RNA sequence: GGAGAGAUGGCAGAGCGGUCUAAUGCGGCGGUCUUGAAAACCGUUGACUCUAAAGGUCCAGGGGUUCGAAUCCCUUUCUCUCCGCCA
């Protein structure tokens, strides 16, 4: 969430930034500053009266110790009226605090200066394109047909066991998926990321900490019995490792990577968007997360983009990198690059990664801070990206690499997959 | 799941109704000494709010009793021990 002081000191600028992402309730910024003013005023009143009570209580203690019971009783008699005066102030203060908090979580992050204006995905800017689109033979098959032909994935079986959007990977399909996961993790750890296996369900504090709550409440599966959320991405448990932590400057940057299944309800999705592996309720993903010093976060973002780009190049997939426009960006992001691969048989670009800098939006909520060289505590910056989401990579790999007699496996996967081709 | 015991500063650990502004030890930081280091000795040591300062808040979370709560009561969560179940 945003810092009130930033909004207070740069009110007009903050509104301009929010307008870039087509945020409508700009008056919320003024309301927040007003609420904070109110809160401060009440806090001061509260503190003044509380100080008097504390002082009297100490005096009573001393008097009792000296056996001056009557003087102590006289002092005691003064306190009830102070407490009576305190009560409404306390309530008003707590109410103002809650209102402030409730308002703050409604504000999305401020887009960085690089974010292009725009409302829809059409307004995203292609910053780079790479790889070659293959020339497929006649009647290229979409991946769901290839999956059936080579017995790699059974979608109907998933429907039987759970429901739509929960595919069952079988044999070489499962093996290919595992090969990709292992390749991604090895590639990430070679680049200095530490591998984690985090919990796949999280509590409310964690879901709130990275901003999934209250924004994406309906997107997550919820275990009512224990009040746990199934993670929509391992970003949630990974970033929350640093909740309520004050780091040393030397600890930064923190580089983490994790494989996890991801669970998303995706309510309301339908049609060709959800066909095959295009959109699932459970999918696999390898994630990278970094926590950095504020002054380094944008060069870190560039490094993460280059890192993900390398992965796609190594897999030989045709890709493009988009800088998301204000209207298409995530709630908590300041700048996001999306990666799409071209799935040749479907003839569509599919999103396979999203790399974002959250600046201190997440860390402010998480209270993830570090002590700088001057001993001052300040908020760190957090970033994350998919490296990579598996289903669409798998789908496009099947489609782009299909031949007359099988599917060729990219060379980087040979040692994991144990073969150069699926026949 | 049942019974019992606990949760205190970076860590260990005292405090169980009133100078707690939380003892003590370890660790960290600074200094003295030293060619340098170690040892020894001396000093220092959290967060939030507010900030000119004072003040206020924080002893797992929430609520209560009291003039006054780390300390008493209720409640939630977590940890440990024993039993049960189990990969």
């Amino acid at each position: 969430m945003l810092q009130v002081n930033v909004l207070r000191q740069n009110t007009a600028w903050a509104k301009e930034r929010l307008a870039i992402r087509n945020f409508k309730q700009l008056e919320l910024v003024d309301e927040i500053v007003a609420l904070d003013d109110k809160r401060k005023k009440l806090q001061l009143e509260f503190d003044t009266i509380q100080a008097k009570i504390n002082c009297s209580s100490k005096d009573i203690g001393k008097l009792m110790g000296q056996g001056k019971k009557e003087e102590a009783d006289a002092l005691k008699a003064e306190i009830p009226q102070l407490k009576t005066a305190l009560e409404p102030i306390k309530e008003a203060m707590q109410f103002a605090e809650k209102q402030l908090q409730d308002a703050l979580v409604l504000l999305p992050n401020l887009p960085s200066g690089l974010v292009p204006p725009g409302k829809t995905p059409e307004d995203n800017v292609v910053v780079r394109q790479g790889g070659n689109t293959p020339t497929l033979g006649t009647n290229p098959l979409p991946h769901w047909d290839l999956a059936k032909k080579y017995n790699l994935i059974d979608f109907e079986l998933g429907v039987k066991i759970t429901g739509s959007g929960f595919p069952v990977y079988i044999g070489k399909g499962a093996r290919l998926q595992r090969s990709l996961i292992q390749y991604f993790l090895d590639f990430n750890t070679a680049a200095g990321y530490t591998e984690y296996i985090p919990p796949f369900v999280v509590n409310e504090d964690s879901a709130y900490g990275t901003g999934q709550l209250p924004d994406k409440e309906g997107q997550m599966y919820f275990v009512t019995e224990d009040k746990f959320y199934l993670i929509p991405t391992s970003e949630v448990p990974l970033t929350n490792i640093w909740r309520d932590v004050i780091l040393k400057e030397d600890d930064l940057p923190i580089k983490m990577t994790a494989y996890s299944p991801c669970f998303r309800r995706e309510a309301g999705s339908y049609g060709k968007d959800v066909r095959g592996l295009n959109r699932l309720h459970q999918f696999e993903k390898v994630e990278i997360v970094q926590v950095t010093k504020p002054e380094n976060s944008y060069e870190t973002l560039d490094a993460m983009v280059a890192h993900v780009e390398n992965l796609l190049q190594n897999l030989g997939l045709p890709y493009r990198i988009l800088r998301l426009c204000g209207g298409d960006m995530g709630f908590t992001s300041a700048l996001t690059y999306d990666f799409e691969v071209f799935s040749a048989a479907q003839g569509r670009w599919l999103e396979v990664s999203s790399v974002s800098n959250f600046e201190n939006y997440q860390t402010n909520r998480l209270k993830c801070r570090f002590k700088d060289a001057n001993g001052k505590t300040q908020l760190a910056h957090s970033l994350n990206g998919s490296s990579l989401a598996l289903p669409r990579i798998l789908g496009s790999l099947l489609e782009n690499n299909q031949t007359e007699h099988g599917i060729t496996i990219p060379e980087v996967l040979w040692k994991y997959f144990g073969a150069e081709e699926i026949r």
Side-chain angles (χ1 to χ4, degrees):
Chain A
M1 93 195 133
L2 297 170
Q3 300 176 96
V4 181
N5 282 341
V6 171
L7 298 176
R8 179 193 303 283
Q9 285 156 20
N10 314 289
T11 311
W13 172 78
K15 286 183 188 172
E16 271 171 41
R17 294 281 95 207
L18 288 170
I20 286 182
R21 58 156 77 231
N22 303 307
F23 184 75
K24 296 291 189 289
Q25 298 168 265
L26 294 179
E27 69 281 2
L28 203 55
V29 176
D30 298 312
E31 285 169 26
I32 285 170
V33 174
L35 275 169
D36 193 48
D37 287 339
K38 192 173 160 195
R39 199 207 91 242
K40 279 188 191 175
K41 187 169 157 281
L42 289 163
Q43 175 91 51
L44 193 67
E45 288 178 34
F46 177 86
D47 287 357
T48 309
I49 299 176
Q50 185 61 250
K52 276 186 201 162
I53 295 176
N54 288 349
C55 188
S56 296
S57 293
K58 258 178 202 166
D59 288 345
I60 290 169
K62 278 182 203 161
L63 291 170
M64 296 288 272
Q66 292 162 13
K68 297 176 181 169
K69 188 161 182 313
E70 276 172 29
E71 284 179 50
D73 285 344
L75 212 46
K76 260 192 215 183
E78 290 173 14
I79 288 179
Q81 56 181 331
L82 287 175
K83 293 193 95 173
T84 312
L86 194 61
E87 198 53 37
I89 297 173
K90 185 181 174 187
E91 268 170 35
M93 184 179 77
Q94 286 173 344
F95 185 64
E97 253 166 35
K98 188 174 181 309
Q99 278 186 309
L100 177 64
Q101 197 64 20
D102 289 350
L104 271 173
V105 297
L106 294 177
L107 278 189
N109 202 353
L110 304 177
S112 95
L114 284 171
V115 172
K119 295 189 172 167
T120 66
E122 275 80 65
D123 299 318
N124 295 336
V125 176
V126 177
V127 293
R128 271 206 296 288
Q129 198 150 350
N132 296 314
T133 309
T135 39
L136 299 177
T138 48
N139 299 323
L141 297 174
H143 68 262
W144 48 87
D145 287 338
L146 291 164
K148 191 164 229 166
K149 181 175 175 185
Y150 296 103
N151 193 28
L152 304 174
I153 304 166
D154 193 327
F155 292 98
E156 289 75 22
L157 200 50
V159 172
K160 172 185 169 185
I161 297 169
T162 308
S164 72
F166 294 91
V168 179
Y169 303 85
I170 301 169
K172 286 176 181 161
R175 173 91 182 216
L176 182 53
Q177 172 108 279
R178 173 161 62 85
S179 302
L180 283 162
I181 292 166
Q182 231 169 298
Y183 170 59
F184 295 158
L185 284 170
D186 284 354
F187 190 81
N188 294 346
T189 50
Y193 291 88
T194 302
E195 186 176 343
Y196 285 76
I197 301 178
F200 301 152
V201 293
V202 296
N203 59 29
E204 207 174 345
D205 285 345
S206 294
Y208 179 81
T210 33
Q212 273 68 29
L213 291 181
D215 181 46
K216 292 205 176 105
E217 174 106 56
Q219 174 73 305
M220 291 185 287
Y221 287 98
F222 183 57
V223 183
T224 50
E225 188 94 24
D226 302 288
K227 294 202 168 83
F228 287 156
Y229 292 87
L230 273 63
I231 58 171
T233 161
S234 54
E235 162 201 345
V236 180
L238 284 182
T239 312
N240 271 282
I241 290 172
W242 308 104
R243 172 153 49 87
D244 289 320
V245 168
I246 299 179
L247 294 152
K248 297 191 195 82
E249 193 171 15
D250 292 347
D251 295 334
L252 300 173
I254 288 164
K255 302 174 76 176
M256 298 175 282
T257 186
Y259 152 77
S260 84
C262 303
F263 304 91
R264 299 186 183 181
R265 295 187 59 237
E266 302 289 359
S269 301
Y270 61 91
K272 65 176 164 39
D273 285 346
V274 305
R275 191 85 198 267
L277 294 170
N278 288 349
R279 189 180 299 258
L280 302 170
H281 289 306
Q282 177 185 322
F283 64 97
E284 326 292 300
K285 185 154 64 71
V286 175
E287 186 81 359
I288 47 177
V289 173
Q290 290 212 38
V291 179
T292 73
K293 288 193 259 183
E295 61 267 32
N296 296 336
S297 69
Y298 278 95
E299 68 188 51
T300 301
L301 180 67
D302 290 341
M304 287 169 75
V305 166
H307 179 83
V308 173
E309 187 174 9
N310 275 337
L311 274 178
L312 291 172
Q313 286 169 342
N314 293 350
L315 290 173
L317 290 168
Y319 66 91
R320 64 181 187 185
I321 305 175
L322 308 172
R323 184 182 290 143
L324 295 193
C325 73
D328 202 27
M329 271 194 347
F331 192 80
T332 53
S333 173
L335 178 61
T336 297
Y337 291 96
D338 266 12
F339 286 70
E340 296 183 337
V341 296
F342 192 71
S343 215
Q346 292 183 74
R348 302 176 62 194
W349 288 98
L350 297 173
E351 183 193 332
V352 294
S353 176
S354 189
V355 182
S356 302
N357 186 357
F358 303 100
E359 297 190 0
N360 62 22
Y361 190 91
Q362 286 185 328
T363 52
N364 186 34
R365 205 181 280 195
L366 289 162
K367 295 199 178 67
C368 170
R369 295 160 294 177
F370 73 100
K371 262 200 206 308
D372 64 22
N374 302 321
K376 204 164 168 270
T377 308
Q378 55 171 307
L379 292 169
H381 279 196
S382 69
L383 306 94
N384 72 44
S386 352
S387 69
L388 292 160
L390 272 294
R392 295 177 189 157
I393 290 287
L394 189 61
S396 58
L397 211 53
L398 296 179
E399 293 185 15
N400 289 325
N401 291 16
Q402 61 184 302
T403 63
E404 297 285 312
H405 47 271
I407 289 158
T408 54
I409 301 296
E411 189 175 347
V412 289
L413 299 179
W414 290 353
K415 68 170 173 174
Y416 303 108
F417 188 69
E420 299 176 16
E421 196 179 26
I422 294 174
R423 282 184 168 275

